[in-house]
Amino acid sequence: MHDVPATAPVARSRWVAAACAGLLLIYACLAFTATLNKCATYDEPLHAAGAWMLSRHGDFRANPEDPPLWQYWVALPHGRSDLYHDFNHPLWTNLPNEIWLHWEWCTRLLFQTEGNNGAGIIQASRFMMLPIAVALGGLLALFAWKLAGPLAALAAAFLFSFDANFLAHGPLVKNDVPIAFVALGILYSLWLLGQRLTPGRLIALAVFCGLAATTKFSGLSLAPIVLALLILRAVLPFPWPVLRWTLDSLLRRAAVVVAVVLLCGAVVYAMIWASYRFRFAPTPDPSIRLNTQLFIDSAGRQSIAARHPGRPATDAELAAWQPPLLLRFVQFSEKHRLFPQAWTNGLAYVHLSTLARQTYLLGEHSVTGWWYYFPLAMLFKTPLATLLALVGAGAALAAGWARRIPGTGTAGDPATRLWTVLCLTVPILIYGGMALSSNLNLGLRHMLPLYPILFLFIAAAFARAVGRWTRPTAITAAILALGLAVETLAAFPHYIAFFNAPAAYVGRLHLLSDSNLDWGQDLPLLARWQRQNPSRPLHLCYFGTVDPAYYGINYVALPGHEIGPAKPLPNYPAVWAISATKLQGVYVQPELRQLYDQLRQREPLAVLGHTIYLYEVPPR
């Protein structure tokens, strides 16, 4: 037998690291080029315009529903003079009292103000989002490497890089992928900290917790995960190395948990104030306040409506209604200036949006959602190869293939194995449980923080199975990898509207709506269709905040159209272009839902990007 050179493992590791980097480069290229012929999605104009306003003018009134820290990064390419803004326009001056005007405001600023290049602003901001998505992929590969070795890192990087949902949302000016990155950072820091508490790991955990509170309000839902895992680490019957000591006493481990929680809380509090420039007032004018009471009153009406669908709340019910603990905290905080007012106002705004919201699943409508919404959304929109790999990983675990998951240099250590299992399962149970009970059933994007954990599970099971069943595992993995790449590349560039093959066969229009399918991204395709058919009258019902006229589309607005006033139904032959979300009857009046339901029974003239349906409509 020949001795293997000592440098061979190092060389293999370098090749794997290079392969992971290459996969992330492919991801970045696919994700960004897929956006080049897509207009801004529904939320992106508000986030991009709000980011420019808060970073260049220090004004947080436009987009309080999202904490601002990530928006500073988004606005880096844009100078103070890149957009002309009329600070005396009623849309702007009335925003503090009527927050829902911010949708009309961002449309006017980016797409209806002469000289402002809204599409260019959006695309430059999208480019800034890519490094965050790539950092998520890199952290995932690093976590998998530490967890189960270089093969696991390669598998995790591949699963991420060819995942259609991360390709869809990674470059968007939205905080869904950033909060997934933050969630994975918290989990990785906790996993390391549970093996040995060092100053670096403690600081990393505290900073990631601060990022969670200043990136997206749903990041606050990560706090129970952090607390649960820290408590579990304290009660596990294994010593806990902390700095230079090894703690055997439960009391001492509990004291460490208290200290960690207090430090993280202090860092979170400081980062919240820092992201709002250590200022309580939401604007440079200290006399201006956002109308938080509007959200509290609306929360009362929606809470009562959720309990009694089909009728408005009575005066007696409204008088008897008491705000929940969260809204009472918001009121107390604003009274005593405990947090920046824009942050607590946004917290109330997000709470209101979770009470009742129109949603759609399997041809049905609801304002409170279904407990099984997100499981079905994951079933429909996760690539088929990933689903099969997940089933295979579960089968491997059940068969005992992955009974011992390697840890960082301590593969045989029972404490490390148990801690690893807890770190991979507790977040899924807590976050998934909160998702099942939520009324906010808008899109799979809200489940993106769970996908890296699923990728880690698959990657660790794959690495373990290779060691025991090398040839069968390698063949199976190659087939699944090829299937994943083919399915994802075939969907290019329509990644927002991606459904796996079986779900697409059933029919996208029947399954899910909103950001799962049609988020207003395909106006450029409609503009191209009109250029090819210039003599055909076009009537449009569009779901989005981009002005179609910005792309040169000449049309008559149909009822339910988002931009500008609608006109009476035409009585002459025309082509009706209807966004899929509107065609499904979401965010439209019941009588209009019936009209569009009738259209859905007909064969469309064309379907653009899976999201805009064209119909030949005779005189009515």
Side-chain angles (χ1 to χ4, degrees), residues 103-115:
W103 298 110
E104 189 178 350
W105 167 78
C106 70
T107 299
R108 182 181 183 277
L109 175 64
L110 293 179
F111 305 109
Q112 296 174 340
T113 300
E114 185 177 358

Side-chain angles (χ1 to χ4, degrees), residues 444-587:
L444 181 74
R445 59 192 175 90
H446 293 289
M447 301 303 291
L448 290 180
L450 289 187
Y451 273 81
I453 304 175
L454 299 179
F455 295 162
L456 286 171
F457 174 68
I458 294 171
F462 163 72
R464 183 62 181 169
V466 164
R468 289 197 170 191
W469 307 90
T470 304
R471 185 176 178 82
T473 302
I475 293 174
T476 303
I479 294 173
L480 290 176
L482 179 62
L484 176 59
V486 169
E487 187 175 24
T488 297
L489 293 174
F492 180 90
H494 309 303
Y495 288 130
I496 293 175
F498 172 84
F499 283 73
N500 58 42
Y505 179 78
V506 172
R508 295 174 173 84
L509 204 60
H510 176 68
L511 300 177
L512 296 165
S513 67
D514 207 289
S515 59
N516 294 303
L517 171 61
D518 163 39
W519 219 3
Q521 67 266 25
D522 281 320
L523 282 180
L525 294 182
L526 182 60
R528 184 173 67 183
W529 180 90
Q530 190 173 59
R531 288 194 298 270
Q532 295 169 350
N533 300 271
S535 62
R536 310 192 73 173
L538 182 68
H539 297 264
L540 175 62
C541 180
Y542 169 62
F543 175 67
T545 53
V546 178
D547 187 350
Y550 182 86
Y551 286 94
I553 299 172
N554 183 24
Y555 68 97
V556 174
L558 288 169
H561 183 66
E562 298 270 338
I563 308 296
K567 297 184 177 180
L569 291 175
N571 59 1
Y572 54 87
V575 173
W576 286 22
I578 306 176
S579 291
T581 298
K582 298 291 187 177
L583 193 60
Q584 293 165 323
V586 185
Y587 310 127

Side-chain angles (χ1 to χ4, degrees), residues 19-37:
C20 291
L23 286 169
L24 294 178
L25 179 61
I26 292 172
Y27 166 84
C29 292
L30 281 175
F32 190 71
T33 54
T35 68
L36 294 179
N37 290 317

Side-chain angles (χ1 to χ4, degrees), residues 333-474:
S333 174
E334 292 196 1
K335 179 180 179 180
H336 298 281
R337 300 191 173 200
L338 300 181
F339 288 90
Q341 204 245 344
W343 190 81
T344 51
N345 177 271
L347 192 59
Y349 184 111
V350 170
H351 172 75
L352 174 64
S353 70
T354 64
L355 296 177
R357 188 75 172 264
Q358 286 195 46
T359 189
Y360 177 91
L361 175 67
L362 298 176
E364 300 292 330
H365 297 85
S366 174
V367 294
T368 55
W370 303 266
W371 70 265
Y372 49 85
Y373 178 91
F374 285 114
L376 287 183
M378 296 177 74
L379 182 64
F380 298 151
K381 289 186 65 67
T382 302
L384 185 59
T386 303
L387 289 175
L388 293 175
L390 191 60
V391 172
L397 181 63
W401 293 0
R403 190 170 298 158
R404 295 173 60 189
I405 303 175
T408 309
T410 54
D413 181 7
T416 300
R417 293 201 303 272
L418 179 57
W419 177 240
T420 298
V421 170
L422 290 173
C423 286
L424 294 182
T425 54
V426 168
I428 292 177
L429 293 176
I430 295 179
Y431 195 91
M434 289 188 289
L436 294 181
S437 62
S438 172
N439 291 347
L440 189 63
N441 293 172
L442 284 186
L444 181 74
R445 59 192 175 90
H446 293 289
M447 301 303 291
L448 290 180
L450 289 187
Y451 273 81
I453 304 175
L454 299 179
F455 295 162
L456 286 171
F457 174 68
I458 294 171
F462 163 72
R464 183 62 181 169
V466 164
R468 289 197 170 191
W469 307 90
T470 304
R471 185 176 178 82
T473 302

